Amino acid sequence: MTQTDVVVVTYGGATDLPGCIAGVRAQGSAIGRVIVVDNASPDDVVAVARSLGGLEIIENRENIGYAAAMNLALGRSETPFVLSLNADCVLEPGYVDACVKMLESDERLAGVTGMLVLPDGRADSTGFDVSSAMWATERDRHRPPDQLRPSSEPFGVSGAAALWRRAALEDLGPAPWWQWLFVYWDDVELCWRARRRGWTFAFVGGARAVHRRGADTADSVFVEGQSFRNRLATIARHRGWPGLVAPASLLVTVVVAIRLAVRHPAALRAAHPVVAVRAGLAARRCDTSIPDRRVALARHPWTTWFAAQLRPTRAEGAPRGS
């Protein structure tokens, strides 16, 4: 029975899309509509999508952002489960069936993810955690597959290949993805909001997909700026001023701001931190229907985190979301 619609948001990715769609079609009868939302890509991804046949294509005249594109596609979907999928991610057979089975086994689950691996076989993500310093990191990234720790529950699931329960998304409102974030941290914020409403997330060990991580070659100024501003907005929305000025959270903010000022000053200017905080606080004031439930956060890995800040980076910790 068709239970899952698939949404692929694109901005570029013409060379990746055929492999992505082949992986979707390998999932069999569980797949319903496959919706490709193109955000005014600079390449010929729309032409490629048309040549593949059988896809529902939404062409935006401008880049409206990942979050807005996901909300747009969700409005076209009707199945009980929705798979968000990056164009550079190829599902192995059985991915969707395994994820659906997990969701059906626990009605509290809002979303699940399988094991995403890089082309060289190392782990890419088994979900993500958010630390006590309000920093989000992909779980198990770059670990060999035999060194994963799948027994613990992730804070949330990466939008690169996440199967969402429609009822959970609708519980967050008609536009569950916060469109102000545009791209990056969108999955963190959505999962945080879902957790405040009592939903949980899980890793499915029997599902696997290969993620090329095309975003790792994106413009560093854009990635760094979006990641910094969206982290601040997310903290402001879910923890308010106490979360922003908490010692661990504030230390991370200051260190990242200094790193950006030295290495990527254009990214720091583009982040508009004050605007980000205001946007998050405004959203918090509007969240009258969302319980102000305290969500448990993981211990922050200070030693490895500081080491990562000293290396040449491009917002290495933030779940990509697109």
Side-chain angles (χ1 to χ4, degrees):
M1 183 179 69
T2 298
Q3 296 178 290
T4 303
D5 285 343
V6 180
V7 178
V8 182
V9 176
T10 61
Y11 180 75
T15 58
D16 290 318
L17 191 61
C20 173
I21 299 304
V24 169
R25 288 172 173 164
Q27 304 304 305
S29 60
I31 301 299
R33 302 160 76 180
V34 181
I35 304 171
V36 175
V37 186
D38 182 65
N39 275 337
S41 290
D43 62 4
D44 58 350
V45 66
V46 171
V48 171
R50 287 180 179 142
S51 71
L52 296 173
L55 307 179
E56 181 174 334
I57 303 170
I58 301 174
E59 295 183 66
N60 293 322
R61 294 184 178 180
E62 61 181 3
N63 188 351
I64 64 174
Y66 178 84
M70 283 300 305
N71 287 332
L72 179 62
L74 184 66
R76 304 282 186 95
S77 168
E78 298 178 348
T79 51
F81 307 119
V82 178
L83 178 71
S84 61
L85 186 63
N86 283 10
D88 61 356
C89 197
V90 179
L91 307 177
E92 294 190 356
Y95 188 98
V96 170
D97 284 340
C99 289
V100 167
K101 185 176 180 180
M102 176 68 81
L103 283 173
E104 290 180 333
S105 71
D106 187 347
E107 62 182 12
R108 301 172 303 164
L109 287 171
V112 299
T113 184
M115 182 172 73
L116 309 188
V117 300
L118 299 169
D120 62 8
R122 293 177 300 160
D124 175 54
S125 175
T126 59
F128 62 81
D129 289 326
V130 177
S131 75
S132 55
M134 318 278 177
W135 187 260
T137 52
E138 304 285 6
R139 296 201 320 165
D140 300 309
R141 193 167 192 212
H142 294 165
R143 288 176 182 257
D146 59 352
Q147 295 182 15
L148 301 184
R149 47 180 176 80
S151 58
S152 61
E153 177 185 319
F155 183 95
V157 292
S158 169
L163 192 68
W164 307 94
R165 187 189 302 274
R166 173 178 295 279
L169 294 176
E170 292 178 345
D171 189 36
L172 302 180
W177 277 268
W178 186 18
Q179 296 183 185
W180 189 87
L181 296 183
F182 194 79
V183 67
Y184 305 130
W185 277 76
D186 50 271
D187 43 11
V188 178
E189 193 285 319
L190 187 151
C191 292
W192 202 327
R193 207 162 359 114
R195 280 195 168 276
R196 285 175 57 187
R197 295 192 69 87
W199 294 97
T200 61
F201 298 88
F203 164 69
V204 183
R208 177 182 162 106
V210 178
H211 189 196
R212 188 179 64 81
R213 278 271 181 192
D216 283 350
T217 61
D219 176 66
S220 60
V221 170
F222 176 77
V223 174
E224 294 274 15
Q226 284 285 308
S227 296
F228 186 58
R229 79 161 196 152
N230 291 352
R231 172 182 175 268
L232 291 175
T234 298
I235 296 171
R237 181 169 188 172
H238 293 286
R239 288 289 176 88
W241 279 112
L244 289 164
V245 301
S249 173
L250 184 59
L251 177 58
V252 166
T253 299
V254 170
V255 171
V256 173
I258 292 173
R259 177 173 61 79
L260 292 182
V262 172
R263 296 180 178 174
H264 301 285
L268 184 58
R269 292 193 297 270
H272 298 296
V274 174
V275 174
V277 169
R278 287 176 176 173
L281 293 175
R284 182 175 178 82
R285 289 192 293 270
C286 293
D287 286 344
T288 55
S289 65
I290 300 178
D292 199 14
R293 181 182 286 116
R294 194 76 168 180
V295 175
L297 303 178
R299 187 174 182 177
H300 190 72
W302 287 107
T303 301
T304 55
W305 184 83
F306 273 116
Q309 301 312 300
L310 294 174
R311 294 194 300 265
T313 59
R314 312 173 330 83
E316 182 59 38
R320 304 306 189 190
S322 75

